[in-house]
Amino acid sequence: MSWRKVVFSLLGIAAAGLGLVGAWPWLAARITNGDASATTVALGKTLYAKHCATCHGANLEGQRDWKSPLPSGRMPAPPHDASGHTWHHADGVLFRITREGPAAVVGGGYQSDMRGFGTIMSDEEIRAVLGFIKSTWPERERQYQAEMTRRERETMQ
């Protein structure tokens, strides 16, 4: 996947996260034809190191035993590399989890140690972080995630 596609995919995340359903057809066309720049991915890498690596690992490896609850009952931070499940989620879900926190997406009183980063990072910065994460995945995982995003867009139209 080209860098432009990553950036414009992340723009789609912002639209989904903000509920701009009316703008979706225009954004979907931009996503299909786009490329993220190396500058955006580099920014995302820097922001990831600053805001995410403490919990999710410097190499996106997540916390130890991330599938088993902590003594608090909360789940450890999952990996964002190909060994985790981040790539199973569509762009809109990833953006909303990052911006608002997992509890906003999971619902049902779910509690997480991860807060939303919407007051810490701009939407553009969140998209850059997600672009960086996605840039590390092997082609198979990127294709799967792109398909999840395509399906997400279809349900929003």
Side-chain angles (χ1 to χ4, degrees):
M1 178 184 282
S2 67
W3 296 112
R4 183 177 290 161
K5 285 182 182 176
V6 172
V7 165
F8 286 113
S9 293
L10 295 174
L11 288 173
I13 292 170
L18 295 173
L20 299 175
V21 176
W24 191 254
W26 176 83
L27 287 170
R30 298 293 297 164
I31 290 167
T32 302
N33 301 323
D35 258 304
S37 70
T39 303
T40 299
V41 172
L43 172 63
K45 183 176 183 178
T46 299
L47 292 166
Y48 177 90
K50 180 177 180 180
H51 298 293
C52 312
T54 301
C55 296
H56 290 282
N59 297 310
L60 296 91
E61 72 274 14
Q63 291 178 331
R64 182 180 211 161
D65 298 325
W66 65 274
K67 293 181 181 179
S68 300
L70 298 167
S72 67
R74 296 177 179 190
M75 297 302 290
H80 289 313
D81 62 13
S83 72
H85 60 78
T86 306
W87 56 273
H88 295 182
H89 301 295
D91 285 348
V93 172
L94 296 176
F95 182 84
R96 190 165 176 222
I97 288 171
T98 307
R99 190 172 197 274
E100 301 173 27
V105 174
V106 176
Y110 181 81
Q111 294 185 2
S112 173
D113 289 332
M114 181 179 158
R115 63 181 176 210
F117 284 85
T119 60
I120 297 165
M121 290 190 285
S122 69
D123 289 356
E124 180 181 326
E125 290 172 327
I126 292 170
R127 287 189 294 272
V129 169
L130 294 173
F132 160 66
I133 291 169
K134 291 167 69 171
S135 77
T136 68
W137 297 336
E139 185 63 26
R140 182 182 77 102
E141 285 75 5
R142 285 187 304 215
Q143 287 180 357
Y144 181 91
Q145 197 274 334
E147 176 62 18
M148 294 298 97
T149 299
R150 185 190 66 75
R151 290 180 185 180
E152 177 184 62
R153 284 195 309 259
E154 285 178 356
T155 63
M156 294 181 74
Q157 292 179 350

Short mmCIF file of all heavy atoms in Angstrom, two decimals, residues 53-78:
data_model
loop_
_atom_site.label_atom_id
_atom_site.label_comp_id
_atom_site.label_asym_id
_atom_site.label_seq_id
_atom_site.Cartn_x
_atom_site.Cartn_y
_atom_site.Cartn_z
N ALA A 53 4.42 4.17 23.33
CA ALA A 53 5.40 3.11 23.53
C ALA A 53 5.53 2.66 24.97
O ALA A 53 5.84 1.49 25.23
CB ALA A 53 6.77 3.56 23.00
N THR A 54 5.25 3.54 25.92
CA THR A 54 5.35 3.15 27.33
C THR A 54 4.49 1.93 27.62
O THR A 54 4.91 1.05 28.36
CB THR A 54 4.92 4.33 28.24
OG1 THR A 54 5.77 5.43 27.97
CG2 THR A 54 5.00 3.96 29.70
N CYS A 55 3.31 1.88 27.06
CA CYS A 55 2.40 0.75 27.29
C CYS A 55 2.45 -0.28 26.16
O CYS A 55 2.46 -1.49 26.42
CB CYS A 55 0.97 1.24 27.47
SG CYS A 55 0.74 2.27 28.93
N HIS A 56 2.46 0.19 24.93
CA HIS A 56 2.35 -0.72 23.78
C HIS A 56 3.71 -1.21 23.28
O HIS A 56 3.75 -2.04 22.37
CB HIS A 56 1.58 -0.06 22.64
CG HIS A 56 0.12 0.11 22.95
ND1 HIS A 56 -0.79 -0.92 22.88
CD2 HIS A 56 -0.57 1.20 23.36
CE1 HIS A 56 -1.98 -0.48 23.22
NE2 HIS A 56 -1.89 0.81 23.52
N GLY A 57 4.79 -0.73 23.88
CA GLY A 57 6.13 -1.21 23.53
C GLY A 57 6.80 -0.39 22.46
O GLY A 57 6.16 0.04 21.50
N ALA A 58 8.10 -0.20 22.63
CA ALA A 58 8.89 0.58 21.66
C ALA A 58 8.85 -0.06 20.28
O ALA A 58 8.95 0.63 19.26
CB ALA A 58 10.33 0.71 22.15
N ASN A 59 8.69 -1.38 20.23
CA ASN A 59 8.65 -2.10 18.96
C ASN A 59 7.25 -2.60 18.64
O ASN A 59 7.09 -3.58 17.90
CB ASN A 59 9.65 -3.26 18.99
CG ASN A 59 11.06 -2.77 19.13
OD1 ASN A 59 11.50 -1.89 18.39
ND2 ASN A 59 11.78 -3.31 20.10
N LEU A 60 6.24 -1.95 19.23
CA LEU A 60 4.83 -2.28 19.03
C LEU A 60 4.46 -3.66 19.55
O LEU A 60 3.46 -4.24 19.15
CB LEU A 60 4.43 -2.15 17.55
CG LEU A 60 4.52 -0.76 16.93
CD1 LEU A 60 5.87 -0.50 16.31
CD2 LEU A 60 3.44 -0.57 15.92
N GLU A 61 5.25 -4.20 20.48
CA GLU A 61 5.08 -5.57 20.94
C GLU A 61 4.02 -5.77 22.02
O GLU A 61 3.66 -6.89 22.35
CB GLU A 61 6.41 -6.14 21.44
CG GLU A 61 6.89 -5.55 22.77
CD GLU A 61 7.69 -4.26 22.65
OE1 GLU A 61 7.68 -3.60 21.58
OE2 GLU A 61 8.31 -3.89 23.66
N GLY A 62 3.49 -4.69 22.59
CA GLY A 62 2.47 -4.79 23.63
C GLY A 62 3.04 -5.25 24.96
O GLY A 62 4.23 -5.48 25.10
N GLN A 63 2.15 -5.35 25.94
CA GLN A 63 2.56 -5.81 27.26
C GLN A 63 2.55 -7.33 27.33
O GLN A 63 1.84 -8.00 26.57
CB GLN A 63 1.63 -5.23 28.34
CG GLN A 63 1.79 -3.74 28.50
CD GLN A 63 0.84 -3.15 29.54
OE1 GLN A 63 -0.25 -3.65 29.77
NE2 GLN A 63 1.27 -2.05 30.15
N ARG A 64 3.32 -7.85 28.25
CA ARG A 64 3.43 -9.29 28.47
C ARG A 64 2.03 -9.85 28.78
O ARG A 64 1.24 -9.22 29.47
CB ARG A 64 4.37 -9.52 29.62
CG ARG A 64 4.59 -10.95 29.92
CD ARG A 64 5.54 -11.09 31.08
NE ARG A 64 6.27 -12.30 30.88
CZ ARG A 64 7.39 -12.60 31.46
NH1 ARG A 64 7.95 -11.76 32.28
NH2 ARG A 64 7.98 -13.73 31.21
N ASP A 65 1.77 -11.05 28.29
CA ASP A 65 0.49 -11.74 28.54
C ASP A 65 -0.71 -10.84 28.26
O ASP A 65 -1.68 -10.81 29.02
CB ASP A 65 0.44 -12.27 29.98
CG ASP A 65 1.52 -13.29 30.27
OD1 ASP A 65 1.86 -14.08 29.36
OD2 ASP A 65 2.03 -13.31 31.40
N TRP A 66 -0.68 -10.16 27.13
CA TRP A 66 -1.69 -9.16 26.81
C TRP A 66 -3.10 -9.73 26.65
O TRP A 66 -4.07 -8.98 26.66
CB TRP A 66 -1.28 -8.36 25.59
CG TRP A 66 -1.18 -9.15 24.31
CD1 TRP A 66 -0.11 -9.87 23.87
CD2 TRP A 66 -2.19 -9.28 23.31
NE1 TRP A 66 -0.40 -10.45 22.65
CE2 TRP A 66 -1.66 -10.10 22.29
CE3 TRP A 66 -3.49 -8.80 23.18
CZ2 TRP A 66 -2.39 -10.45 21.16
CZ3 TRP A 66 -4.21 -9.14 22.05
CH2 TRP A 66 -3.66 -9.95 21.05
N LYS A 67 -3.24 -11.02 26.54
CA LYS A 67 -4.57 -11.62 26.40
C LYS A 67 -5.19 -12.02 27.74
O LYS A 67 -6.33 -12.44 27.80
CB LYS A 67 -4.50 -12.86 25.50
CG LYS A 67 -4.16 -12.54 24.05
CD LYS A 67 -4.14 -13.80 23.22
CE LYS A 67 -3.77 -13.49 21.78
NZ LYS A 67 -3.72 -14.71 20.96
N SER A 68 -4.43 -11.88 28.83
CA SER A 68 -4.91 -12.25 30.17
C SER A 68 -5.11 -11.01 31.01
O SER A 68 -4.26 -10.12 31.03
CB SER A 68 -3.88 -13.16 30.85
OG SER A 68 -3.68 -14.34 30.10
N PRO A 69 -6.22 -10.93 31.75
CA PRO A 69 -6.48 -9.75 32.58
C PRO A 69 -5.40 -9.53 33.63
O PRO A 69 -4.82 -10.46 34.17
CB PRO A 69 -7.82 -10.05 33.25
CG PRO A 69 -8.43 -11.14 32.44
CD PRO A 69 -7.30 -11.91 31.83
N LEU A 70 -5.17 -8.26 33.91
CA LEU A 70 -4.28 -7.85 35.00
C LEU A 70 -5.00 -8.10 36.33
O LEU A 70 -6.21 -8.34 36.35
CB LEU A 70 -3.95 -6.36 34.86
CG LEU A 70 -3.20 -5.95 33.59
CD1 LEU A 70 -3.23 -4.43 33.43
CD2 LEU A 70 -1.77 -6.46 33.64
N PRO A 71 -4.29 -8.02 37.46
CA PRO A 71 -4.96 -8.17 38.77
C PRO A 71 -6.12 -7.18 38.95
O PRO A 71 -7.10 -7.49 39.64
CB PRO A 71 -3.84 -7.89 39.77
CG PRO A 71 -2.60 -8.29 39.05
CD PRO A 71 -2.84 -7.93 37.60
N SER A 72 -6.04 -6.04 38.28
CA SER A 72 -7.13 -5.05 38.35
C SER A 72 -8.37 -5.46 37.57
O SER A 72 -9.41 -4.83 37.67
CB SER A 72 -6.63 -3.70 37.81
OG SER A 72 -6.36 -3.82 36.41
N GLY A 73 -8.24 -6.52 36.77
CA GLY A 73 -9.34 -6.96 35.91
C GLY A 73 -9.30 -6.33 34.53
O GLY A 73 -10.02 -6.74 33.63
N ARG A 74 -8.47 -5.33 34.37
CA ARG A 74 -8.32 -4.67 33.07
C ARG A 74 -7.33 -5.45 32.21
O ARG A 74 -6.50 -6.18 32.71
CB ARG A 74 -7.87 -3.23 33.26
CG ARG A 74 -8.92 -2.41 34.00
CD ARG A 74 -8.47 -1.02 34.27
NE ARG A 74 -9.52 -0.29 34.96
CZ ARG A 74 -9.49 1.00 35.18
NH1 ARG A 74 -8.46 1.73 34.76
NH2 ARG A 74 -10.48 1.60 35.80
N MET A 75 -7.45 -5.23 30.91
CA MET A 75 -6.57 -5.94 29.98
C MET A 75 -5.28 -5.17 29.76
O MET A 75 -5.28 -3.94 29.69
CB MET A 75 -7.28 -6.16 28.64
CG MET A 75 -8.53 -7.03 28.73
SD MET A 75 -8.24 -8.68 29.39
CE MET A 75 -7.32 -9.42 28.06
N PRO A 76 -4.15 -5.89 29.62
CA PRO A 76 -2.89 -5.22 29.29
C PRO A 76 -2.96 -4.61 27.89
O PRO A 76 -3.82 -4.95 27.08
CB PRO A 76 -1.87 -6.36 29.32
CG PRO A 76 -2.52 -7.48 30.06
CD PRO A 76 -3.99 -7.32 29.82
N ALA A 77 -2.02 -3.71 27.62
CA ALA A 77 -1.96 -3.07 26.30
C ALA A 77 -1.57 -4.12 25.25
O ALA A 77 -0.56 -4.79 25.39
CB ALA A 77 -0.94 -1.94 26.32
N PRO A 78 -2.37 -4.24 24.20
CA PRO A 78 -2.06 -5.24 23.17
C PRO A 78 -0.95 -4.75 22.25
O PRO A 78 -0.66 -3.56 22.17
CB PRO A 78 -3.37 -5.35 22.39
CG PRO A 78 -4.00 -4.00 22.54
CD PRO A 78 -3.62 -3.53 23.92
#
